[in-house]
Amino acid sequence: MNRPCRCCTIVAVLLSTCELDTGWSAERFHNLQVLHDTQKLELTAPLDVVMVRGISQFAEQEIESAEARRDQRWERVYTSPEAYSASVAKQRELLRTIIGAVDDRVDARMLFEVDPGTAQELSRLVAVPVTWTVLEGVTSEGLLVLPVDEPRAAAIVLPDCAWKPRQMVEQGQDGAGPVPLAAQLAAQGCLVLVPSLISRDHRFSGNPEIRMTNIPHREFVYRMAFEMGRHIIGYEVQKILAAIDYLKKQHASLPVAVCGAGEGGLLAMYAAAIDERIDACLVSGYFQERERLWQEPIDRNVWNLLKTFGDADIASLIAPRRLIIEACAVPEVDIPTQDRQQAPQVAAPGRIETAPLDSVRSEYARAAVHFDKLGYSDQVQLVVSQQGSGPAFSSEARDALTSSIGLSKGRSETEPEIALAITPDATAREKRQLDELVRFTQRLLHSSDKVRDKRWASADRSSVEGWSKSAAEFRAMVHEQMIGMLSQPNVPPNPRTRKVLETPTQVGYEVVLDVYPETVPPQSTNWEESPSVIAGGILLLPKDVKEGERRPVVVFQHGLEGTPMDTVTTDETSRAWQAYKGVSTQLVNRGFIVYAPQNPYRGEDAFRVIQRKSNPIGRSLFSYIIEQHRQTLRWLATLPWVDADRIAFYGLSYGGKTAVRVPPMLPPTKTISANSESQSADPGYCLSICSADYNEWIRKNVSNEDRYSYVFTREYEMYEWNMGHLAGYAELATLMAPRPFMVERGHNDGVAPDEWVAWEFAKVRRHYDQLGIGDRTEIEFFDGPHTIHGDGTFAFLQRHLNWPLNHQN
């Protein structure tokens, strides 16, 4: 949606003529309509709209590129099943890690609500409610369907998360509902376990003492788990593997199959890919090309998945064991965008539709190649249920499954009758299962600081020099594993500018820079619609700059849904003033050159979907923001009025979030010249100020006990993979050292309580003190809300940028 550019309502002057500069003169730079050594900026849509659209399209291109490069990440050996298994062991372990199935399972025990001997006594099929142990404090519940005689095989039947286990046992009235596969397998002599999956209902998502939400249960667990390096997918795969632990302990010789439809198909395939004890797998209604993963419900979002795995690659981890793919209909899901949701509008949008048959066939062909190269082409099979739109668990799919585990194909013309020993309360069961996963994840949160301490214990804090070497290693870890690293821009910034404001004390230019230009033939002649990454913002120049003078720069970063001009306006009746207090204008009036970048967190779902598109290829929104700032710093350093060694960062709210992620990743780098003097090779931020954001960030993202938590709000893009075990705000802030770092904090800021802020900052102060540079970090508390205070922070800037306190422009 095109919104009117805020510049139009705030700027003092907006000119369309172009005056190109051929030389520099401090006395006349503010008379230019286009900044010296730049081209005229032609921009019809708002900068933020163009930026967000370009990054979003660029991310889609990168998904396609990842698919093309995927084979390079494998070294499959097809000479024998044993050699093949060994050659893909690394990828098998990677899959386990990225779905968070990493915790040790407890000893497998199964609790029966009734005596399992009932089946033999009644000489009929019986479904018994059972509970089995999985992780510490986590169980799984479902139905165990007992055959009349000794079982000849075992199977785990996974319904879609919209179905109940009972629907796998009993046919609905008049044949409605899903095919009761569990009953049919049991009638053929199979011991069948049907787990209950967490659904996308939302009745228990929240905390009744704080807030209840419309977040689906699966997403509710996903949010908190993702931050801890865990996942709803991984938790439920662990439940499947724990069931196999039990089945193998009780019936070691039986062949084991897993089969599932929809969400159950996803879990069946992942479980079979990870665990080679599984002899056969039926995936119904899930398998297809996965490059549109970002459109599916967010609980399917898996960090870094698509770099290594499409569905065919996950299937290749099952080879040469039996795999049946069924193209069929599944329960469809439509979680609307937030502007179409009913209050409280907090669930992430997503859709599940029946997979197009062409997509299933195409991905199946890729998977079949690996079975063929192994010489086991008969072990993989595609079944099409009524042109791909028929019900899951068709007769052909069931026959393929039963024959693979040694059962006969013969079936009764009528559905077998099963006695339910007890009818479970499905709602109460769902709440128990959800609560267990929430509690398990909260325990991970409460112990995560110890995990981080152990991870960072090897850092050398004995001296500034020692820390600088250690920091480089930890900086790379955070950038690669948590934020996601892009290659650095390798093109000139190609600056385009236009004058947008002028006052008695300052001149402002809107700026656009290239970061990753379009790399494919354009679909449109209008560059504003191209899939490219740009950087942009407003450059404010004090009018009293003298010829030959180089001044410090303050890069001031706006918050969520903001624009650069929000930080410039001095209209005290505006909403922007309430948060920013015209901070960019205040700073330029103190003599600083100010650059106010546009960051791409504007447009609600339009920008949040960038996170969705980027996570599956190991990136995040900040992957792009870091490189935007890198290119911006390079350009600022070329300006004749800028001292490249004195470029500071100051950000509010989401800009404060930026302050602990971007400057720590962008330290100035030095090269040694022939005369052994250090010279700047790549400019970086010389200091960072985090305003209205610094707190116990991991707790804020994971806790379901605190009203400040994002588990209750619409900001579903906040979650960063495994941050809880990699780096909190204290660890990120230490990566600024030995550069100065400051926190600005209002007592009434609703981001978090003072106690969280002080606790997290104390670790930073200790770090700086131990390095002997305690005077380079500080925190200012003030009696106020979520806003700029501009007292201690201005003094901090002037002291560390070596700028006179009494300078007035």
Side-chain angles (χ1 to χ4, degrees):
M1 179 179 68
N2 287 345
R3 298 180 299 277
C5 180
R6 290 194 184 183
C7 297
C8 298
T9 60
I10 301 174
V11 298
V13 178
L14 180 56
L15 302 171
S16 59
T17 58
C18 175
E19 179 184 342
L20 293 175
D21 189 22
T22 56
W24 176 76
S25 169
E27 284 74 20
R28 73 185 187 87
F29 74 79
H30 50 82
N31 293 322
L32 301 175
Q33 310 313 312
V34 174
L35 201 58
H36 85 292
D37 290 339
T38 70
Q39 298 178 6
K40 181 182 179 182
L41 173 61
E42 302 281 359
L43 193 64
T44 58
L47 173 59
D48 63 280
V49 172
V50 176
M51 178 182 291
V52 168
R53 181 170 58 211
I55 297 174
S56 192
Q57 293 174 355
F58 178 85
E60 287 190 54
Q61 283 192 351
E62 291 293 285
I63 292 173
E64 297 298 328
S65 297
E67 190 276 330
R69 296 191 296 264
R70 199 172 288 150
D71 283 347
Q72 300 171 18
R73 306 178 74 87
W74 297 76
E75 295 179 353
R76 297 180 178 92
V77 176
Y78 298 99
T79 54
S80 69
E82 295 76 19
Y84 181 79
S85 179
S87 73
V88 299
K90 179 180 177 181
Q91 285 76 15
R92 199 186 309 280
E93 190 59 31
L94 173 62
L95 181 62
R96 181 192 298 272
T97 300
I98 62 178
I99 64 170
V102 295
D103 298 290
D104 292 335
R105 295 190 296 280
V106 299
D107 184 52
R109 293 179 293 108
M110 185 168 285
L111 305 176
F112 299 83
E113 293 196 27
V114 298
D115 184 355
T118 302
Q120 283 75 19
E121 293 176 6
L122 297 178
S123 297
R124 62 180 297 187
L125 301 176
V126 174
V128 179
V130 292
T131 301
W132 62 99
T133 52
V134 183
L135 306 171
E136 189 67 40
V138 176
T139 64
S140 188
E141 296 186 47
L143 295 176
L144 182 67
V145 187
L146 303 164
V148 175
D149 300 316
E150 282 296 312
R152 294 182 288 126
I156 299 172
V157 174
L158 298 153
D160 181 77
C161 65
W163 299 337
K164 302 293 188 286
R166 183 170 180 172
Q167 292 176 277
M168 296 292 96
V169 172
E170 292 181 332
Q171 182 73 62
Q173 282 189 332
D174 301 322
V179 173
L181 179 63
Q184 294 171 349
L185 293 177
Q188 293 176 253
C190 191
L191 178 66
V192 185
L193 183 60
V194 187
S196 174
L197 303 185
I198 300 296
S199 76
R200 291 195 177 92
D201 191 359
H202 60 79
R203 71 182 72 184
F204 304 124
S205 292
N207 183 328
E209 297 182 0
I210 300 172
R211 186 184 309 161
M212 299 306 291
T213 73
N214 70 339
I215 298 172
H217 293 161
R218 297 187 72 80
E219 179 183 344
F220 192 67
V221 175
Y222 158 86
R223 289 194 184 197
M224 59 183 73
F226 195 87
E227 191 83 359
M228 303 308 302
R230 304 300 191 271
H231 204 291
I232 180 65
I233 293 173
Y235 284 154
E236 294 195 321
V237 165
Q238 289 275 54
K239 293 186 176 190
I240 297 167
L241 303 189
I244 294 172
D245 294 341
Y246 175 80
L247 292 172
K248 284 296 184 182
K249 185 165 66 173
Q250 299 297 318
H251 306 279
S253 62
L254 293 184
V256 175
V258 292
C259 38
E263 218 66 36
L266 179 160
L267 295 169
M269 184 169 72
Y270 279 51
I274 287 171
D275 196 331
E276 294 181 278
R277 296 176 299 173
I278 296 170
D279 299 290
C281 178
L282 167 60
V283 180
S284 296
Y286 175 75
F287 194 89
Q288 61 175 310
E289 295 168 312
R290 200 55 58 185
E291 279 61 50
R292 309 300 282 183
L293 174 60
W294 56 272
Q295 294 180 327
E296 299 176 38
I298 198 170
D299 56 77
R300 289 183 171 186
N301 178 52
V302 176
W303 174 260
N304 219 6
L305 176 73
L306 296 181
K307 272 190 177 179
T308 305
F309 303 102
D311 283 7
D313 299 284
I314 296 174
S316 78
L317 294 176
I318 301 173
R321 291 168 289 143
R322 186 75 164 108
L323 174 63
I324 303 123
I325 304 297
E326 184 178 32
C328 63
V330 293
E332 299 197 342
V333 175
D334 183 10
I335 305 170
T337 54
Q338 291 181 341
D339 61 351
R340 293 194 293 121
Q341 291 180 23
Q342 299 298 312
Q345 302 171 8
V346 296
R351 293 180 63 84
I352 295 175
E353 298 175 336
T354 296
L357 185 55
D358 287 347
S359 179
V360 180
R361 290 189 188 278
S362 179
E363 195 70 8
Y364 173 80
R366 296 187 185 101
V369 167
H370 306 296
F371 286 82
D372 187 55
K373 287 184 176 181
L374 276 166
Y376 287 84
S377 57
D378 58 342
Q379 286 288 86
V380 63
Q381 180 179 350
L382 174 62
V383 174
V384 178
S385 176
Q386 298 177 18
Q387 304 302 311
S389 59
F393 306 143
S394 64
S395 58
E396 184 180 356
R398 297 196 305 271
D399 285 346
L401 176 68
T402 54
S403 64
S404 68
I405 53 176
L407 301 178
S408 64
K409 294 184 180 180
R411 298 186 309 277
S412 170
E413 292 298 324
T414 60
E415 295 295 345
E417 292 186 7
I418 293 186
L420 275 172
I422 295 177
T423 302
D425 183 334
T427 300
R429 178 179 60 201
E430 170 112 353
K431 187 176 189 306
R432 286 194 301 271
Q433 294 287 281
L434 180 68
D435 287 348
E436 286 181 358
L437 295 180
V438 169
R439 285 195 297 269
F440 183 85
T441 309
Q442 297 303 304
R443 288 197 297 273
L444 291 175
L445 165 65
H446 298 321
S447 63
S448 62
D449 59 332
K450 299 177 181 62
V451 176
R452 296 194 303 276
D453 286 347
K454 184 176 180 180
R455 184 183 294 274
W456 290 70
S458 62
D460 182 356
R461 303 174 194 265
S462 62
S463 66
V464 168
E465 294 74 16
W467 169 252
S468 295
K469 292 179 181 178
S470 292
E473 298 175 6
F474 285 102
R475 186 175 293 116
M477 176 198 73
V478 170
H479 201 165
E480 291 173 3
Q481 297 182 32
M482 188 188 90
I483 296 174
M485 186 178 290
L486 285 163
S487 59
Q488 295 187 19
N490 61 2
V491 297
N494 184 28
R496 287 89 78 196
T497 65
R498 62 185 178 189
K499 184 193 279 190
V500 292
L501 69 86
E502 184 170 359
T503 73
T505 60
Q506 64 178 314
V507 182
Y509 292 90
E510 188 171 26
V511 179
V512 169
L513 309 172
D514 287 339
V515 182
Y516 300 104
E518 186 178 15
T519 56
V520 297
Q523 302 298 316
S524 169
T525 56
N526 182 359
W527 72 269
E528 296 180 28
E529 299 178 359
S530 67
S532 59
V533 180
I534 59 171
I538 303 293
L539 177 68
L540 302 176
L541 299 172
K543 284 188 173 180
D544 66 345
V545 177
K546 302 297 188 293
E547 185 167 358
E549 181 184 15
R550 291 185 178 271
R551 290 195 180 184
V553 178
V554 179
V555 174
F556 186 86
Q557 188 64 66
H558 63 77
L560 179 65
E561 296 295 332
T563 68
M565 292 305 298
D566 289 341
T567 76
V568 177
T569 181
T570 55
D571 178 2
E572 297 187 16
T573 66
S574 68
R575 184 177 179 181
W577 170 266
Q578 301 305 312
Y580 298 104
K581 303 294 190 293
V583 59
S584 290
T585 297
Q586 288 194 60
L587 289 167
V588 81
N589 286 342
R590 289 173 177 254
F592 294 109
I593 294 171
V594 176
Y595 186 74
Q598 176 69 60
N599 263 9
Y601 37 71
R602 181 166 161 82
E604 298 290 349
D605 287 321
F607 88 80
R608 292 191 169 102
V609 77
I610 295 174
Q611 188 89 325
R612 293 292 319 276
K613 293 176 180 179
S614 302
N615 277 182
I617 51 175
R619 296 174 185 170
S620 67
L621 189 64
F622 275 95
S623 301
Y624 310 98
I625 294 174
I626 286 172
E627 302 310 325
Q628 287 177 312
H629 280 257
R630 190 192 307 275
Q631 192 78 325
T632 298
L633 287 166
R634 289 172 176 173
W635 176 70
L636 287 172
T638 68
L639 300 181
W641 324 286
V642 168
D643 182 345
D645 292 325
R646 291 188 293 167
I647 304 178
F649 187 95
Y650 185 179
L652 173 84
S653 193
Y654 223 119
K657 179 177 165 71
T658 307
V660 294
R661 287 165 178 79
V662 173
M665 298 299 112
L666 295 177
T669 59
K670 301 289 184 180
T671 57
I672 306 300
S673 63
N675 60 5
S676 299
E677 294 181 358
S678 291
Q679 296 180 336
S680 179
D682 213 352
Y685 285 113
C686 69
L687 67 80
S688 182
I689 300 174
C690 177
S691 177
D693 185 73
Y694 193 88
N695 69 94
E696 280 196 82
W697 185 257
I698 296 162
R699 183 174 178 179
K700 182 174 175 62
N701 278 270
V702 179
S703 174
N704 73 323
E705 302 166 350
D706 297 285
R707 64 183 178 87
Y708 315 97
S709 177
Y710 282 124
V711 300
F712 305 117
T713 70
R714 64 192 298 142
E715 290 91 350
Y716 58 81
E717 85 287 355
M718 288 294 183
Y719 296 89
E720 295 158 288
W721 173 248
N722 202 26
M723 186 176 183
H725 295 128
L726 291 175
Y729 268 20
E731 289 83 8
L732 293 176
T734 64
L735 294 176
M736 281 300 299
R739 295 168 290 158
F741 175 76
M742 183 179 179
V743 172
E744 183 177 48
R745 161 70 190 179
H747 289 309
N748 302 321
D749 192 331
V751 163
D754 282 347
E755 291 81 357
W756 290 17
V757 180
W759 169 276
E760 196 72 2
F761 180 77
K763 305 172 192 177
V764 180
R765 181 56 187 262
R766 178 180 61 205
H767 176 75
Y768 275 74
D769 280 346
Q770 290 176 342
L771 292 177
I773 53 173
D775 60 336
R776 297 187 192 179
T777 190
E778 60 185 83
I779 187 169
E780 180 191 31
F781 289 96
F782 66 93
D783 189 16
H786 189 75
T787 184
I788 288 293
H789 185 52
D791 186 1
T793 54
F794 285 9
F796 189 82
L797 287 167
Q798 290 176 298
R799 180 167 70 255
H800 290 289
L801 293 177
N802 192 26
W803 189 248
L805 290 173
N806 59 356
H807 182 99
Q808 290 296 321
N809 180 13

